[in-house]
Every structure is written in structure tokens, then in C-alpha cells.
Amino acid sequence: ISGSDARALAHARALFAPLGVDLVELELLEAEVAQLFLNAWRYVAFGTANQFYHIATEKGLSFGRIRAAIMHRYTRASGFPGAGLTAGPRLFKDTMQLAAYCRHTFSLGHAAMLVNETMPDCLLEQAKRELAVQGRTLPGICCGILGMAFKPDSDDGRESLAFKLRRLLLWEGAEVLCTDAHLQGEGFMDVGSLLERSEVVFVGCPHRGYEDLALRPEQVVIDCWGALQHARPRVAIE
């Protein structure tokens, strides 16, 4: 907690002390920078995982299987995040705010932004490669996006990269269907109808309940989260 003067700090103590939590006092600027550091650290960590996902998929490898192998019984890797569409109203904003605060010398933050913000492009290219193996292209293909919120089990669509993915697919000439278990949007449909019509299925946000969906064998599935049960990475342990 912090405050601009002793009176403000006392008000902060009085507000949070009844919650029974530890109160850590900082100077006002320290508290502001602490929030920026925390959210930027998380954004960079997610960006690192997403960069690894870019590399693995471009080389035809499974990021999920590699990550699971790295983390198997290795405590130092316990904080290795999974890949995903890293978005929302805070992480990106606070990372860029920190970059501005240090006069744009926060190169890690800018690098993470370039990786995270281009994850939809990565998924698009992955779909193109998988369709090309079948001699097909995206124009005219029916694509479904499961989940449009920016984080699982939320109805908050602010800054969600699933909408950017939808735009990219539309620009490629694909027909795009969307569904979300919590968020309502124009043109959204129920998950059953989406799966019935979609030839390519993208996981935009891994809400609970999606992991047990029944998908047809011929459907192309692009799931950077590793959320769908049939696509979850497995590691052979001997």
C-alpha cells in the first residue's frame, strides 16, 4: 500500500487491514512501479512461451510435448507458462507504460509485445500449413473460433486477440464463426452449431467445458493453449 501523504497512507491501512492480509508499505512511486514491474514481468514471461511456440510450430514440432518434457519432475521449470493469446486491458498497457517511463529502453517489453500481438498471425500461418498438406487454402473454408474472451471463464472481451484472429481470417477470405461460453456478441452461435459447420477449429479462449468437446477426425484443430483433450500433449514416461 502507499499514499501521497501520511493521511492517505492511514486511509489505505484502515481500508485493507480488516481483510487480514499482509500490508507492505512503499513510497508512492515505488508502488506505481511495482504494479508495472509485475504486469510487465508476466507479459514478458508469456511472450517467451509464445516465442517458443512460434519456433516449434514453424519447425513442425509440438510445443506442448516439448514443454511437458521440460517440466517433468523438474522444479526449476515449474513456472514455465504455456502458450496462448496473451491480451486483456492490463498486461499490454502496463508493459508499454513501463517502456514509456524508462524512455523506451525496455527492449524486453517491446520484444514481448511483438511476439504476443502477432500470435493470431502465427495461428493463421499454422492453419495455412496444415491445409496446404491437404491441398487446400483458406479462401472459402469455414473456420470456427472457440472462445472470444481474453481469459478463460470470463465474459470480458476487452483487447481479446481472438477478435484480431477473426479479422485476419476474414481478410484471407474464410467464413468465420464464433462462439463463447460466457461472452455474447453479434453473430455468435452455440458451440454445437459451430463445430458442425467448421472445417478448421481455433481455440481463441480455453473456457472450461471445451476440453471434452467431440471433434471430427477430419477437422483441422489449431489449439495453441493445449486445451482440447484430444490435443493435449503427452510425454512417454518410461
Side-chain angles (χ1 to χ4, degrees):
I1 60 172
S2 189
S4 56
D5 54 29
R7 181 169 176 268
L9 183 57
H11 277 299
R13 288 196 200 99
L15 176 63
F16 292 107
L19 299 178
V21 297
D22 293 338
L23 300 182
V24 180
E25 295 184 11
L26 293 174
E27 296 295 328
L28 185 61
L29 188 56
E30 289 177 331
E32 292 289 347
V33 171
Q35 175 182 295
L36 298 183
F37 279 2
L38 173 61
N39 284 338
W41 170 70
R42 294 178 63 216
Y43 193 72
V44 169
F46 293 141
T48 302
N50 285 337
Q51 180 77 87
F52 291 159
Y53 182 88
H54 279 235
I55 295 169
T57 55
E58 285 178 359
K59 299 300 183 181
L61 305 174
S62 168
F63 169 78
R65 285 176 56 83
I66 295 168
R67 175 174 175 267
I70 290 170
M71 297 178 69
H72 179 66
R73 297 183 180 178
Y74 188 52
T75 56
R76 289 185 179 181
S78 60
F80 193 153
L85 297 179
T86 304
R90 296 301 298 272
L91 297 188
F92 172 80
K93 176 186 72 66
D94 283 356
T95 301
M96 293 300 98
Q97 184 65 43
L98 180 59
Y101 175 65
C102 63
R103 312 298 289 180
H104 297 287
T105 60
F106 184 33
S107 55
L108 280 174
H110 284 289
M113 179 268 292
L114 292 175
V115 173
N116 289 330
E117 287 293 305
T118 58
M119 272 299 283
D121 303 79
C122 175
L123 303 184
L124 177 70
E125 292 303 315
Q126 187 181 354
K128 285 182 177 180
R129 288 194 296 270
E130 296 203 20
L131 287 171
V133 172
Q134 304 174 8
R136 306 162 71 196
T137 57
L138 271 174
I141 290 286
C142 186
C143 298
I145 303 177
L146 292 172
M148 300 298 291
F150 84 84
K151 64 179 179 180
D153 305 319
S154 167
D155 64 354
D156 194 341
R158 290 177 297 169
E159 310 302 326
S160 170
L161 291 176
F163 290 95
K164 182 176 182 179
L165 175 61
R166 179 173 69 175
R167 289 196 301 272
L168 293 175
L169 290 168
L170 289 171
W171 291 342
E172 290 287 336
E175 178 186 0
V176 185
L177 310 176
C178 301
T179 189
D180 192 279
H182 306 281
L183 178 66
Q184 299 299 317
E186 184 179 354
F188 286 16
M189 61 174 53
D190 66 273
V191 65
S193 299
L194 179 142
L195 292 179
E196 183 179 350
R197 293 178 54 187
S198 298
E199 300 166 84
V200 180
V201 177
F202 294 85
V203 179
C205 184
H207 295 306
R208 278 180 294 183
Y210 288 167
E211 67 271 15
D212 295 320
L213 292 174
L215 300 173
R216 301 191 305 275
E218 71 274 12
Q219 285 176 313
V220 174
V221 178
I222 307 297
D223 176 20
C224 63
W225 308 83
L228 299 183
Q229 190 173 59
H230 81 284
R232 282 180 178 171
R234 300 289 196 276
V235 176
I237 305 300
E238 298 182 358

